[in-house]
């Protein structure tokens, strides 16, 4: 059992690092495009994983499958529309994970399974794809400080929006508890199945049309 867990951790480390890096880089890139120089000034507009790691969030991601990176610092005062800018910046992370998932799914189809080398590459790509899908579903849950809450905030009245943000620190503790106790598994599993089936059908239809 120890060996099995150790192997899982070894496999999950690079997958987690890449997934977290892509997610946070997307946040910083969109915020920069909206006129905010903060991500680049703080060294977060990079694909170097070390710039984005949060020790607790990364450990939880590796061990439980759900966690977080160090949030990219942004300054909403640079946005023309604060709530819309925050929503777009927040949505960039989950959308990046979804895009990576779609690319890897197509890659797995193109690679197929043949030689042992291709088997290994395809298996890693599948695991990476599923991890990105799980990460996306987790982050679109509309509970602060997750990205879904910021996207939801664009549609809330200002009073409700800022009230939600005030409870962010307490929500974070709740998310940690739910993650460690495994309560989130059912929610994440349902969301992953929903997106997985929908995306698979969409991609397969597109591939059939192209090929």
């Amino acid at each position: 059992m120890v060996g099995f867990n150790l192997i899982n951790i070894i496999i999950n480390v690079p997958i987690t690092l890449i997934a977290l890096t892509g997610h946070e880089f997307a946040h910083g890139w969109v915020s920069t495009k909206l006129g905010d120089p903060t991500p680049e000034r703080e060294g977060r507009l990079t694909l170097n994983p070390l710039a984005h790691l949060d020790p607790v969030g990364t450990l939880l991601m590796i061990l439980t499958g759900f966690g977080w990176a160090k949030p990219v610092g942004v300054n909403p005062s640079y946005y023309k529309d604060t709530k819309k800018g925050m929503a777009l910046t927040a949505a960039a992370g989950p959308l990046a994970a979804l895009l990576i998932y779609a690319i890897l799914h197509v890659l797995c189809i193109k690679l197929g399974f043949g030689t042992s080398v291709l088997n290994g590459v395809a298996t890693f790509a599948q695991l990476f794809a599923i991890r990105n899908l799980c990460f996306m579903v987790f982050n679109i849950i509309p509970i602060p400080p997750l990205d879904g809450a910021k996207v939801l905030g664009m549609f809330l009245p200002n009073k409700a929006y800022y009230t939600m943000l005030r409870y962010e620190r307490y929500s974070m503790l709740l998310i940690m508890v739910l993650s460690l106790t495994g309560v989130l598994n059912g929610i994440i599993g349902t969301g992953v199945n929903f997106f997985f089936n929908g995306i698979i059908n969409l991609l397969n239809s597109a591939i059939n049309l192209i090929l």
Side-chain angles (χ1 to χ4, degrees), residues 60-61 63-68 138 172-188:
L60 282 175
M61 174 66 80
L63 298 179
T64 71
F66 313 115
W68 54 87
F138 174 64
M172 196 67 186
L173 292 175
L174 175 62
I175 291 170
M176 289 178 64
V177 172
L178 294 178
S179 180
L180 287 171
T181 57
V183 174
L184 283 176
N185 288 349
I187 300 173
I188 300 299

Side-chain angles (χ1 to χ4, degrees), residues 3 14 17 20-21 35 74 77 85 89 97 116 128 165 167 172 175-177 188 209-211:
L17 290 179
L20 289 173
T21 299
V74 299
S77 65
T89 300
S116 58
F128 187 25
L165 293 182
Y167 290 98
M172 196 67 186
I175 291 170
M176 289 178 64
V177 172
I188 300 299
L209 288 174
I210 294 173
L211 300 180

Side-chain angles (χ1 to χ4, degrees), residues 118-197:
L118 285 180
N119 282 342
V121 173
T123 299
F124 183 85
Q126 286 179 326
L127 292 173
F128 187 25
I130 294 298
R131 173 53 59 91
N132 273 277
L133 191 56
C134 290
F135 198 26
M136 183 206 74
V137 171
F138 174 64
N139 276 281
I140 63 174
I141 296 174
I143 301 175
L146 300 180
D147 298 324
K150 295 182 176 67
V151 175
L152 174 64
M154 185 172 67
F155 305 99
L156 294 176
N158 287 339
K159 184 177 180 180
Y161 175 68
Y162 291 113
T163 298
M164 178 182 69
L165 293 182
R166 280 203 299 270
Y167 290 98
E168 184 171 307
R169 68 181 66 181
Y170 306 108
S171 300
M172 196 67 186
L173 292 175
L174 175 62
I175 291 170
M176 289 178 64
V177 172
L178 294 178
S179 180
L180 287 171
T181 57
V183 174
L184 283 176
N185 288 349
I187 300 173
I188 300 299
T190 301
V192 167
N193 287 333
F194 173 79
F195 281 101
F196 179 81
N197 292 329

Side-chain angles (χ1 to χ4, degrees), residues 25-108:
F25 174 81
H27 284 318
W29 185 82
V30 170
S31 189
T32 300
K33 291 298 180 180
L34 291 174
D36 178 18
T38 309
E40 185 172 12
R41 186 170 60 233
E42 295 184 352
R44 301 301 302 279
L45 203 63
T46 175
L47 292 175
N48 179 1
L50 297 179
H52 303 293
L53 297 186
D54 175 271
V56 176
T58 303
L59 182 62
L60 282 175
M61 174 66 80
I62 293 171
L63 298 179
T64 71
F66 313 115
W68 54 87
K70 181 170 61 176
V72 171
V74 299
N75 188 342
S77 65
Y78 286 101
Y79 304 152
K80 293 181 179 179
D81 183 323
T82 300
K83 289 171 65 176
K84 182 178 179 180
M86 286 297 294
L88 291 173
T89 300
L95 287 176
L98 182 61
L99 177 62
I100 292 172
Y101 170 80
I103 292 172
L104 289 172
H105 175 71
V106 174
L107 177 63
C108 287

Side-chain angles (χ1 to χ4, degrees), residues 195-211:
F195 281 101
F196 179 81
N197 292 329
I199 294 167
I200 290 296
N201 292 334
L202 181 62
L203 288 175
N204 286 341
S205 298
I207 291 171
N208 289 333
L209 288 174
I210 294 173
L211 300 180

